[in-house]
Amino acid sequence: KPKPPAAAKRAAPPFDRSLGTPKARQAQHRLACLKLLARFKYVRSLDVAAALAPQSSFKGALSTANRTLKRLLADKLVTRYLSDSRRTYYALGAKGARFLRDLATEGGDGTAQASSSRASERTNPEHALWSVFAVVTSEARGLTSLTEREFQARFLKPNTKNPRRPHKSFPLYYITD
């Protein structure tokens, strides 16, 4: 049997040098990870990988995410938790929220809050974590997407009569061709 030509083998994607030096890339990855945590309250390394390096291979993106989260954990900017199903997820710590609020003077929105106290109360955050993954991957493809919590805050009127149900119910509309 003839061997396939060398050009037919899959070449590794070229290294993206647009972020500058390795230290600058690391700083940008750390900041992007902290902003992701500020937006979604808690994420997995899979979500961080999809947000930081959507064009990279799965292994490369996950390695980048794990290195970034390891540095953030060492600096105590994020905290790590285990769900009841033994899955690891991360939450923004008080020091990380303070860091993001300090950056607000340089153009941020200044609304970052620590989510570690809420994350420690969660026993099974699987649904919320998968919705974060869906939003991150769709935004990486250029689509506008919201989690359920973001959708409720933006489009639903508050229910002042019943505090147990913070939002009134809404009709579902389906778009068909």
Side-chain angles (χ1 to χ4, degrees), residues 114-140:
S115 57
S116 54
S117 61
R118 283 180 292 236
S120 63
E121 297 168 357
R122 307 285 276 181
T123 56
N124 192 11
E126 297 296 321
H127 175 76
L129 291 170
W130 279 111
S131 68
V132 167
F133 181 72
V135 168
V136 167
T137 53
S138 63
E139 286 179 351

